[in-house]
Amino acid sequence: MLSVRQKRDAGGREDRAVFRGAALPWLFLLPSLLILAVFIYLPTLRTLRLAGYRANLILGTEQWVGLGNITDLLGSATYRQVALQTLVFTLLSVTGGLLLSLGLAWLASRPIRGSRAYRLLLIYPYALSPAIAGTLWLFLFNPEIGVVNQLLGELVGVRPRWLDTPLLAFALVTVAAIWKGLAYNIVFYLASIRNLPTDVMEAAQIDGATPAQVFWRVAFPLLSPVTFFLVFTNIVAALFDSFALTDLLTRGGPYVGHAGITTFLVYQLYQDGFVNFKTGAAAAQGALMLALVAFVTFMQFRLGERRVHYGA
C-alpha cells in the first residue's frame, strides 16, 4: 500500500512516501472530507441557496426573490448603520489590539527577572472562551454590583452606566475584544521577536540609535510579515468573534438611531435569523459576510508578498 522511494537532489538524498495507487490517498482523506462536507460545505451551499428566497422558519414558506434580499439589505438604514458600526469597531479593535500586543510582547521579551511569569499571564486570556470572557467583563462592569463601579463609587463617587450609555457600551465591548485577542497576537509577536537577528540591532545600537529608533526602524520592519498576517486574522476575528461578547454584555444595545450601537454584522445576522425568524434575510447577510471574508483573504494573499519586508 505504501512504499518509500529514495529521491536524490542537489543537497543529497531525501525519503518520500509514495502511494501504490491513485485512490489510496483519497481513502485516507475521506473521513476529513466527509466531516467538512457535512458541517461546512453543505451548510454553506444551503445558505447561498436560501439567500435567494424570502423564507419564514416558523411557517415553513419560501418565495423566490433572487437578489431581492441583498438589495433590501443594502437599501436598509438599519443594515447600513450596523455595517458602519462594524467598520469602526473593527478598525479600533484591530489597530488597538495590534499596537498594544506589540508593545507588551516587546516588553515581555526583555531579559528581566520573572519574564516567564509575565509571559504566562499575558497569554492566559487566550485559554478563556469568548463566553467566559464576556461573563467576566459583565461581572466587572455591571452598573449595580460590578467591582469597577464599587471601586469608583468609593473613590470618586461616580458609578457610570457602562451598559446603558451608548458610547460607554461601545467602548466597553471594543476594549473587551482587544483584551480577548491580546494573547493570540502576543504569542506570534513573542515568537517573532525572539527570532530577530540580534547582530542587526546591536549594529544599530553601536551606531548610536536610541532604543525607540532600534524598535521602530529596525525591529518593526522585520516584524512586518507577522504583523501583516495578524492584521487579516484580527479582521476576521472582529467580524465573527464579537458575538459572544456583544450578546453577554449588551445584547446589541443600547439603541441609537435604527439599531443598537453594539449590534455588529454577525449579531444582526443572529437577530434576523433566530429572533425575528427572517431566514432569507439572515442567509443573505451570511452570503455578504462570506463574500467579505473571501475578499479579505484574497487581499491577504494578493498583497502579502508586496507590502512586507523579509529580513535576510
Side-chain angles (χ1 to χ4, degrees):
M1 295 179 62
L2 183 66
S3 63
V4 176
R5 177 184 300 171
Q6 299 292 338
K7 180 183 178 182
R8 185 181 298 275
D9 55 15
R13 301 172 66 91
E14 68 173 5
D15 296 334
R16 290 186 59 190
V18 179
F19 292 98
R20 297 176 181 175
L24 187 58
W26 294 103
L27 183 61
F28 288 144
L29 290 173
L30 184 60
S32 298
L33 292 176
L34 288 176
I35 293 175
L36 290 174
V38 171
F39 293 101
I40 295 181
Y41 300 140
L42 289 180
T44 300
L45 293 176
R46 289 179 61 86
T47 299
L48 293 176
R49 170 195 169 275
L50 195 58
Y53 289 85
R54 183 168 287 115
N56 188 294
L57 183 64
I58 300 298
L59 300 178
T61 58
E62 292 183 353
Q63 179 185 1
W64 170 254
V65 293
L67 297 177
N69 285 325
I70 294 179
T71 56
D72 290 344
L73 286 174
L74 298 179
S76 169
T78 299
Y79 194 75
R80 290 199 300 268
Q81 177 182 334
V82 170
L84 179 60
Q85 292 170 177
T86 305
L87 176 62
V88 175
F89 168 77
T90 301
L91 289 175
L92 292 176
S93 61
V94 172
T95 304
L98 289 181
L99 289 176
L100 187 57
S101 305
L102 179 58
L104 291 174
W106 183 261
L107 293 175
S109 66
R110 301 299 90 191
I112 59 176
R113 180 179 298 178
S115 59
R116 292 185 178 180
Y118 297 146
R119 294 168 193 164
L120 179 62
L121 292 175
L122 288 172
I123 297 173
Y124 175 73
Y126 187 62
L128 300 177
S129 69
I132 295 177
T135 304
L136 176 64
W137 279 74
L138 181 61
F139 279 120
L140 288 174
F141 289 90
N142 186 285
E144 306 299 335
I145 61 173
V147 176
V148 174
N149 268 15
Q150 290 182 3
L151 291 176
L152 290 177
E154 294 178 0
L155 294 176
V156 296
V158 176
R159 295 178 180 269
R161 304 291 300 180
W162 298 100
L163 307 179
D164 302 331
T165 307
L167 290 180
L168 289 180
F170 189 90
L172 180 62
V173 174
T174 303
V175 173
I178 291 175
W179 174 82
K180 182 64 181 72
L182 278 180
Y184 178 84
N185 299 329
I186 288 174
V187 167
F188 281 91
Y189 273 132
L190 274 175
S192 300
I193 290 172
R194 292 173 67 89
N195 287 285
L196 288 176
T198 56
D199 53 344
V200 177
M201 292 187 288
E202 290 173 356
Q205 292 173 348
I206 293 174
D207 290 340
T210 64
Q213 290 175 329
V214 171
F215 176 79
W216 288 112
R217 298 191 178 184
V218 180
F220 185 70
L222 294 174
L223 293 173
S224 58
V226 69
T227 299
F228 197 80
F229 165 77
L230 289 175
V231 165
F232 288 96
T233 55
N234 278 253
I235 289 175
V236 176
L239 291 174
F240 292 97
D241 288 350
S242 61
F243 173 81
L245 292 174
T246 301
D247 188 51
L248 288 168
L249 289 175
T250 63
R251 295 195 179 276
Y255 273 75
V256 174
H258 301 279
I261 196 170
T262 58
T263 298
F264 306 123
L265 288 176
V266 66
Y267 198 75
Q268 182 66 34
L269 187 155
Y270 161 77
Q271 286 184 322
D272 284 341
F274 298 96
V275 177
N276 301 323
F277 299 108
K278 298 178 181 179
T279 313
Q285 293 177 51
L288 289 176
M289 293 190 69
L290 177 63
L292 179 59
V293 173
F295 174 75
V296 170
T297 305
F298 170 78
M299 295 301 295
Q300 179 182 5
F301 285 100
R302 182 74 173 177
L303 303 177
E305 298 294 333
R306 299 182 181 181
R307 303 298 182 186
V308 298
H309 170 77
Y310 292 91

